[in-house]
Amino acid sequence: MNVTRTPAFRHRHLLDIDGLSAAEIGALLDLADFYVDLGRRADKKINRLRGRTLVNLFFESSTRTRTSFELAGKRLGADVINMSVEGSSIKKGETLIDTAMTLNAMQPDVMVVRHSDSGAVELLSQKVDGAVINAGDGSHAHPTQALLDAVTIRRRGKRLSGLVVAICGDILHSRVARSNIMLLTTMGAVVRVVAPPTLLPTAVERLGVEVHHDMRKGLKDVDIVMMLRLQLERMHGAFVPSIREYFHFYGLDREKLSLAKEDALIMHPGPMNRGVEIDSEVADDINRSVIREQVEIGVGVRMACLDALVNHTLEIPVEKAA
Ligand code: CP
């Protein structure tokens, strides 16, 4: 296999977006584009991780992220182990770190970790020898989701620089919002957060975003409407008066969407709560909604992240003619 260029990727782990430069993000998105195209071919495999071992360690539920990391690892030729917390010794009281050390003894090259506590994945990364990818920690970070969102936007012909993006809903509990704000502002986009005051972190404007409490004003002339799930499982107490009222003021429907640009894209990281933060009519709009594309592109993005971390390069592979 030859390569077209040789940008190095020197990071040991992928824990958040903030350690990445704009140039590294751009090259990672280019590499992901290659893998998304590969995923559309009949033969989706490429031996970039042959002989390597990937462990998926999810302490929180997941459909998209866990499955796409498994597929990504297999398409790259790695051996993939999915650790089920339910069937593990964690249920007998083994700690996060002891679990990580136990798995580390089997010499995995990469551990993909999701945990309900912010900072838990970084802590784990300090104890193991291989690379660690944060698949979502508490309300802190979900870097591969932000990367896949950026690839989805670019593949719809939109430049990140100068783009106006409204991130709407439960910003307070959202690791997706934090990683997206970081990535989009680094790449020169304008980010608006749209939410009731109860669902915004204190001093959110320090993240370099515009703050809107009125969704109609927040959506005015935006290029992207990114909806977020109301994370009821992370709420202790009442953050919204009622689901019905929340949908009335902050749910995306056809009428509110009409305030965005005519070609604005609708995004959602999933899982969606239809009728809570988004109406089915707009979620399933085949012209405007890219929610299914986000899922497909997630596999290519995760292949790019695995390749970059294991091979320490952002080179786009060039396959030799047979
Ligand atoms: N977007 C996302 O992280 O989805 P899952 O929880 O299904 O992995």
Side-chain angles (χ1 to χ4, degrees), residues 56-81:
N56 270 328
L57 181 56
F58 279 61
F59 294 89
E60 254 193 355
S61 56
S62 167
T63 298
R64 284 146 278 265
T65 314
R66 198 200 60 72
T67 313
S68 60
F69 266 114
E70 180 176 357
L71 259 182
K74 287 179 172 169
R75 286 182 183 174
L76 291 166
D79 294 320
V80 182
I81 308 294

PDB file of all heavy atoms in Angstrom, residues 56-81:
ATOM      1  N   ASN A  56     -13.925  -2.827  22.942  1.00  0.00           N
ATOM      2  CA  ASN A  56     -15.027  -1.889  23.197  1.00  0.00           C
ATOM      3  C   ASN A  56     -15.489  -2.080  24.632  1.00  0.00           C
ATOM      4  O   ASN A  56     -15.960  -3.180  24.983  1.00  0.00           O
ATOM      5  CB  ASN A  56     -16.210  -2.210  22.274  1.00  0.00           C
ATOM      6  CG  ASN A  56     -16.144  -1.472  20.956  1.00  0.00           C
ATOM      7  OD1 ASN A  56     -15.645  -0.348  20.888  1.00  0.00           O
ATOM      8  ND2 ASN A  56     -16.649  -2.100  19.914  1.00  0.00           N
ATOM      9  N   LEU A  57     -15.357  -1.054  25.441  1.00  0.00           N
ATOM     10  CA  LEU A  57     -15.720  -1.157  26.853  1.00  0.00           C
ATOM     11  C   LEU A  57     -16.761  -0.080  27.164  1.00  0.00           C
ATOM     12  O   LEU A  57     -16.421   1.092  27.365  1.00  0.00           O
ATOM     13  CB  LEU A  57     -14.444  -0.962  27.701  1.00  0.00           C
ATOM     14  CG  LEU A  57     -14.543  -1.055  29.207  1.00  0.00           C
ATOM     15  CD1 LEU A  57     -15.148  -2.373  29.663  1.00  0.00           C
ATOM     16  CD2 LEU A  57     -13.147  -0.887  29.829  1.00  0.00           C
ATOM     17  N   PHE A  58     -18.031  -0.499  27.156  1.00  0.00           N
ATOM     18  CA  PHE A  58     -19.122   0.471  27.309  1.00  0.00           C
ATOM     19  C   PHE A  58     -19.828   0.263  28.644  1.00  0.00           C
ATOM     20  O   PHE A  58     -20.487  -0.749  28.860  1.00  0.00           O
ATOM     21  CB  PHE A  58     -20.113   0.343  26.136  1.00  0.00           C
ATOM     22  CG  PHE A  58     -19.650   1.069  24.896  1.00  0.00           C
ATOM     23  CD1 PHE A  58     -18.463   0.725  24.267  1.00  0.00           C
ATOM     24  CD2 PHE A  58     -20.393   2.106  24.369  1.00  0.00           C
ATOM     25  CE1 PHE A  58     -18.013   1.403  23.146  1.00  0.00           C
ATOM     26  CE2 PHE A  58     -19.957   2.797  23.247  1.00  0.00           C
ATOM     27  CZ  PHE A  58     -18.772   2.441  22.638  1.00  0.00           C
ATOM     28  N   PHE A  59     -19.676   1.255  29.527  1.00  0.00           N
ATOM     29  CA  PHE A  59     -20.340   1.215  30.835  1.00  0.00           C
ATOM     30  C   PHE A  59     -21.726   1.864  30.766  1.00  0.00           C
ATOM     31  O   PHE A  59     -22.428   1.918  31.770  1.00  0.00           O
ATOM     32  CB  PHE A  59     -19.499   1.952  31.884  1.00  0.00           C
ATOM     33  CG  PHE A  59     -18.189   1.279  32.180  1.00  0.00           C
ATOM     34  CD1 PHE A  59     -17.050   1.589  31.443  1.00  0.00           C
ATOM     35  CD2 PHE A  59     -18.093   0.340  33.196  1.00  0.00           C
ATOM     36  CE1 PHE A  59     -15.844   0.971  31.728  1.00  0.00           C
ATOM     37  CE2 PHE A  59     -16.891  -0.271  33.483  1.00  0.00           C
ATOM     38  CZ  PHE A  59     -15.762   0.035  32.739  1.00  0.00           C
ATOM     39  N   GLU A  60     -22.032   2.451  29.597  1.00  0.00           N
ATOM     40  CA  GLU A  60     -23.345   3.070  29.376  1.00  0.00           C
ATOM     41  C   GLU A  60     -23.910   2.508  28.093  1.00  0.00           C
ATOM     42  O   GLU A  60     -23.144   2.107  27.214  1.00  0.00           O
ATOM     43  CB  GLU A  60     -23.174   4.585  29.169  1.00  0.00           C
ATOM     44  CG  GLU A  60     -23.594   5.448  30.300  1.00  0.00           C
ATOM     45  CD  GLU A  60     -23.682   6.923  29.887  1.00  0.00           C
ATOM     46  OE1 GLU A  60     -23.331   7.283  28.752  1.00  0.00           O
ATOM     47  OE2 GLU A  60     -24.109   7.699  30.732  1.00  0.00           O
ATOM     48  N   SER A  61     -25.226   2.540  27.946  1.00  0.00           N
ATOM     49  CA  SER A  61     -25.825   1.953  26.748  1.00  0.00           C
ATOM     50  C   SER A  61     -25.471   2.748  25.491  1.00  0.00           C
ATOM     51  O   SER A  61     -25.158   3.943  25.559  1.00  0.00           O
ATOM     52  CB  SER A  61     -27.342   1.876  26.918  1.00  0.00           C
ATOM     53  OG  SER A  61     -27.823   3.161  27.198  1.00  0.00           O
ATOM     54  N   SER A  62     -25.491   2.061  24.383  1.00  0.00           N
ATOM     55  CA  SER A  62     -25.154   2.673  23.096  1.00  0.00           C
ATOM     56  C   SER A  62     -25.649   1.761  21.981  1.00  0.00           C
ATOM     57  O   SER A  62     -25.544   0.538  22.092  1.00  0.00           O
ATOM     58  CB  SER A  62     -23.637   2.837  22.979  1.00  0.00           C
ATOM     59  OG  SER A  62     -23.267   3.147  21.646  1.00  0.00           O
ATOM     60  N   THR A  63     -26.157   2.342  20.938  1.00  0.00           N
ATOM     61  CA  THR A  63     -26.460   1.578  19.721  1.00  0.00           C
ATOM     62  C   THR A  63     -25.470   1.977  18.637  1.00  0.00           C
ATOM     63  O   THR A  63     -24.684   1.161  18.134  1.00  0.00           O
ATOM     64  CB  THR A  63     -27.909   1.852  19.246  1.00  0.00           C
ATOM     65  OG1 THR A  63     -28.796   1.414  20.269  1.00  0.00           O
ATOM     66  CG2 THR A  63     -28.215   1.098  17.959  1.00  0.00           C
ATOM     67  N   ARG A  64     -25.465   3.272  18.281  1.00  0.00           N
ATOM     68  CA  ARG A  64     -24.666   3.761  17.158  1.00  0.00           C
ATOM     69  C   ARG A  64     -23.152   3.656  17.398  1.00  0.00           C
ATOM     70  O   ARG A  64     -22.414   3.103  16.576  1.00  0.00           O
ATOM     71  CB  ARG A  64     -25.010   5.241  16.867  1.00  0.00           C
ATOM     72  CG  ARG A  64     -26.304   5.437  16.165  1.00  0.00           C
ATOM     73  CD  ARG A  64     -26.949   6.733  16.624  1.00  0.00           C
ATOM     74  NE  ARG A  64     -27.630   6.472  17.865  1.00  0.00           N
ATOM     75  CZ  ARG A  64     -28.919   6.168  17.965  1.00  0.00           C
ATOM     76  NH1 ARG A  64     -29.670   6.221  16.911  1.00  0.00           N
ATOM     77  NH2 ARG A  64     -29.464   5.860  19.114  1.00  0.00           N
ATOM     78  N   THR A  65     -22.696   4.190  18.512  1.00  0.00           N
ATOM     79  CA  THR A  65     -21.244   4.312  18.718  1.00  0.00           C
ATOM     80  C   THR A  65     -20.595   2.939  18.869  1.00  0.00           C
ATOM     81  O   THR A  65     -19.575   2.653  18.235  1.00  0.00           O
ATOM     82  CB  THR A  65     -20.966   5.187  19.966  1.00  0.00           C
ATOM     83  OG1 THR A  65     -21.799   6.344  19.900  1.00  0.00           O
ATOM     84  CG2 THR A  65     -19.516   5.599  20.038  1.00  0.00           C
ATOM     85  N   ARG A  66     -21.204   2.088  19.695  1.00  0.00           N
ATOM     86  CA  ARG A  66     -20.594   0.779  19.919  1.00  0.00           C
ATOM     87  C   ARG A  66     -20.575  -0.058  18.638  1.00  0.00           C
ATOM     88  O   ARG A  66     -19.564  -0.645  18.274  1.00  0.00           O
ATOM     89  CB  ARG A  66     -21.333   0.028  21.034  1.00  0.00           C
ATOM     90  CG  ARG A  66     -20.511  -1.111  21.620  1.00  0.00           C
ATOM     91  CD  ARG A  66     -21.363  -2.126  22.340  1.00  0.00           C
ATOM     92  NE  ARG A  66     -22.358  -2.744  21.494  1.00  0.00           N
ATOM     93  CZ  ARG A  66     -22.091  -3.635  20.529  1.00  0.00           C
ATOM     94  NH1 ARG A  66     -20.849  -4.012  20.286  1.00  0.00           N
ATOM     95  NH2 ARG A  66     -23.063  -4.129  19.792  1.00  0.00           N
ATOM     96  N   THR A  67     -21.702  -0.070  17.947  1.00  0.00           N
ATOM     97  CA  THR A  67     -21.781  -0.868  16.722  1.00  0.00           C
ATOM     98  C   THR A  67     -20.829  -0.339  15.658  1.00  0.00           C
ATOM     99  O   THR A  67     -20.171  -1.112  14.954  1.00  0.00           O
ATOM    100  CB  THR A  67     -23.225  -0.829  16.158  1.00  0.00           C
ATOM    101  OG1 THR A  67     -24.109  -1.077  17.226  1.00  0.00           O
ATOM    102  CG2 THR A  67     -23.424  -1.859  15.077  1.00  0.00           C
ATOM    103  N   SER A  68     -20.753   0.975  15.535  1.00  0.00           N
ATOM    104  CA  SER A  68     -19.903   1.525  14.463  1.00  0.00           C
ATOM    105  C   SER A  68     -18.425   1.329  14.784  1.00  0.00           C
ATOM    106  O   SER A  68     -17.619   1.111  13.871  1.00  0.00           O
ATOM    107  CB  SER A  68     -20.233   2.988  14.180  1.00  0.00           C
ATOM    108  OG  SER A  68     -20.045   3.766  15.317  1.00  0.00           O
ATOM    109  N   PHE A  69     -18.040   1.361  16.051  1.00  0.00           N
ATOM    110  CA  PHE A  69     -16.634   1.057  16.379  1.00  0.00           C
ATOM    111  C   PHE A  69     -16.326  -0.411  16.094  1.00  0.00           C
ATOM    112  O   PHE A  69     -15.239  -0.748  15.642  1.00  0.00           O
ATOM    113  CB  PHE A  69     -16.318   1.402  17.838  1.00  0.00           C
ATOM    114  CG  PHE A  69     -15.745   2.789  18.007  1.00  0.00           C
ATOM    115  CD1 PHE A  69     -16.441   3.769  18.686  1.00  0.00           C
ATOM    116  CD2 PHE A  69     -14.502   3.124  17.476  1.00  0.00           C
ATOM    117  CE1 PHE A  69     -15.932   5.055  18.824  1.00  0.00           C
ATOM    118  CE2 PHE A  69     -13.967   4.397  17.611  1.00  0.00           C
ATOM    119  CZ  PHE A  69     -14.696   5.371  18.290  1.00  0.00           C
ATOM    120  N   GLU A  70     -17.290  -1.285  16.361  1.00  0.00           N
ATOM    121  CA  GLU A  70     -17.073  -2.711  16.069  1.00  0.00           C
ATOM    122  C   GLU A  70     -16.889  -2.919  14.568  1.00  0.00           C
ATOM    123  O   GLU A  70     -15.937  -3.575  14.122  1.00  0.00           O
ATOM    124  CB  GLU A  70     -18.256  -3.535  16.591  1.00  0.00           C
ATOM    125  CG  GLU A  70     -18.078  -5.020  16.316  1.00  0.00           C
ATOM    126  CD  GLU A  70     -19.191  -5.898  16.892  1.00  0.00           C
ATOM    127  OE1 GLU A  70     -20.088  -5.379  17.570  1.00  0.00           O
ATOM    128  OE2 GLU A  70     -19.130  -7.119  16.651  1.00  0.00           O
ATOM    129  N   LEU A  71     -17.787  -2.317  13.800  1.00  0.00           N
ATOM    130  CA  LEU A  71     -17.689  -2.439  12.334  1.00  0.00           C
ATOM    131  C   LEU A  71     -16.386  -1.819  11.828  1.00  0.00           C
ATOM    132  O   LEU A  71     -15.709  -2.389  10.967  1.00  0.00           O
ATOM    133  CB  LEU A  71     -18.852  -1.687  11.686  1.00  0.00           C
ATOM    134  CG  LEU A  71     -20.032  -2.480  11.191  1.00  0.00           C
ATOM    135  CD1 LEU A  71     -21.041  -1.546  10.531  1.00  0.00           C
ATOM    136  CD2 LEU A  71     -19.591  -3.547  10.182  1.00  0.00           C
ATOM    137  N   ALA A  72     -16.061  -0.651  12.367  1.00  0.00           N
ATOM    138  CA  ALA A  72     -14.848   0.051  11.927  1.00  0.00           C
ATOM    139  C   ALA A  72     -13.611  -0.815  12.161  1.00  0.00           C
ATOM    140  O   ALA A  72     -12.765  -0.976  11.277  1.00  0.00           O
ATOM    141  CB  ALA A  72     -14.719   1.382  12.674  1.00  0.00           C
ATOM    142  N   GLY A  73     -13.521  -1.388  13.359  1.00  0.00           N
ATOM    143  CA  GLY A  73     -12.369  -2.229  13.684  1.00  0.00           C
ATOM    144  C   GLY A  73     -12.292  -3.434  12.758  1.00  0.00           C
ATOM    145  O   GLY A  73     -11.227  -3.780  12.238  1.00  0.00           O
ATOM    146  N   LYS A  74     -13.431  -4.068  12.517  1.00  0.00           N
ATOM    147  CA  LYS A  74     -13.454  -5.268  11.666  1.00  0.00           C
ATOM    148  C   LYS A  74     -13.114  -4.916  10.224  1.00  0.00           C
ATOM    149  O   LYS A  74     -12.391  -5.653   9.549  1.00  0.00           O
ATOM    150  CB  LYS A  74     -14.825  -5.948  11.753  1.00  0.00           C
ATOM    151  CG  LYS A  74     -15.020  -6.662  13.085  1.00  0.00           C
ATOM    152  CD  LYS A  74     -16.372  -7.324  13.207  1.00  0.00           C
ATOM    153  CE  LYS A  74     -16.427  -8.176  14.474  1.00  0.00           C
ATOM    154  NZ  LYS A  74     -17.775  -8.636  14.788  1.00  0.00           N
ATOM    155  N   ARG A  75     -13.621  -3.798   9.724  1.00  0.00           N
ATOM    156  CA  ARG A  75     -13.318  -3.406   8.348  1.00  0.00           C
ATOM    157  C   ARG A  75     -11.836  -3.075   8.170  1.00  0.00           C
ATOM    158  O   ARG A  75     -11.285  -3.189   7.081  1.00  0.00           O
ATOM    159  CB  ARG A  75     -14.183  -2.217   7.926  1.00  0.00           C
ATOM    160  CG  ARG A  75     -15.611  -2.637   7.684  1.00  0.00           C
ATOM    161  CD  ARG A  75     -16.492  -1.502   7.220  1.00  0.00           C
ATOM    162  NE  ARG A  75     -17.866  -1.979   7.080  1.00  0.00           N
ATOM    163  CZ  ARG A  75     -18.904  -1.201   6.801  1.00  0.00           C
ATOM    164  NH1 ARG A  75     -18.733   0.093   6.635  1.00  0.00           N
ATOM    165  NH2 ARG A  75     -20.114  -1.722   6.682  1.00  0.00           N
ATOM    166  N   LEU A  76     -11.190  -2.665   9.278  1.00  0.00           N
ATOM    167  CA  LEU A  76      -9.744  -2.370   9.205  1.00  0.00           C
ATOM    168  C   LEU A  76      -8.898  -3.618   9.447  1.00  0.00           C
ATOM    169  O   LEU A  76      -7.665  -3.544   9.427  1.00  0.00           O
ATOM    170  CB  LEU A  76      -9.388  -1.288  10.232  1.00  0.00           C
ATOM    171  CG  LEU A  76      -9.932   0.117   9.939  1.00  0.00           C
ATOM    172  CD1 LEU A  76      -9.825   1.007  11.180  1.00  0.00           C
ATOM    173  CD2 LEU A  76      -9.186   0.766   8.780  1.00  0.00           C
ATOM    174  N   GLY A  77      -9.533  -4.744   9.745  1.00  0.00           N
ATOM    175  CA  GLY A  77      -8.802  -6.005   9.914  1.00  0.00           C
ATOM    176  C   GLY A  77      -8.394  -6.327  11.333  1.00  0.00           C
ATOM    177  O   GLY A  77      -7.628  -7.272  11.560  1.00  0.00           O
ATOM    178  N   ALA A  78      -8.899  -5.572  12.327  1.00  0.00           N
ATOM    179  CA  ALA A  78      -8.519  -5.824  13.727  1.00  0.00           C
ATOM    180  C   ALA A  78      -9.375  -6.949  14.330  1.00  0.00           C
ATOM    181  O   ALA A  78     -10.456  -7.267  13.823  1.00  0.00           O
ATOM    182  CB  ALA A  78      -8.720  -4.556  14.550  1.00  0.00           C
ATOM    183  N   ASP A  79      -8.870  -7.553  15.403  1.00  0.00           N
ATOM    184  CA  ASP A  79      -9.702  -8.429  16.232  1.00  0.00           C
ATOM    185  C   ASP A  79     -10.463  -7.518  17.192  1.00  0.00           C
ATOM    186  O   ASP A  79      -9.850  -6.681  17.863  1.00  0.00           O
ATOM    187  CB  ASP A  79      -8.829  -9.400  17.035  1.00  0.00           C
ATOM    188  CG  ASP A  79      -8.095 -10.369  16.121  1.00  0.00           C
ATOM    189  OD1 ASP A  79      -8.712 -10.832  15.142  1.00  0.00           O
ATOM    190  OD2 ASP A  79      -6.897 -10.622  16.364  1.00  0.00           O
ATOM    191  N   VAL A  80     -11.777  -7.694  17.249  1.00  0.00           N
ATOM    192  CA  VAL A  80     -12.602  -6.788  18.056  1.00  0.00           C
ATOM    193  C   VAL A  80     -13.302  -7.569  19.168  1.00  0.00           C
ATOM    194  O   VAL A  80     -13.947  -8.582  18.914  1.00  0.00           O
ATOM    195  CB  VAL A  80     -13.667  -6.076  17.183  1.00  0.00           C
ATOM    196  CG1 VAL A  80     -14.497  -5.105  18.025  1.00  0.00           C
ATOM    197  CG2 VAL A  80     -13.009  -5.338  16.022  1.00  0.00           C
ATOM    198  N   ILE A  81     -13.127  -7.085  20.386  1.00  0.00           N
ATOM    199  CA  ILE A  81     -13.796  -7.693  21.546  1.00  0.00           C
ATOM    200  C   ILE A  81     -14.787  -6.679  22.090  1.00  0.00           C
ATOM    201  O   ILE A  81     -14.422  -5.526  22.343  1.00  0.00           O
ATOM    202  CB  ILE A  81     -12.774  -7.988  22.693  1.00  0.00           C
ATOM    203  CG1 ILE A  81     -11.568  -8.784  22.191  1.00  0.00           C
ATOM    204  CG2 ILE A  81     -13.462  -8.670  23.872  1.00  0.00           C
ATOM    205  CD1 ILE A  81     -11.881 -10.162  21.726  1.00  0.00           C
TER     206      ILE A  81
END
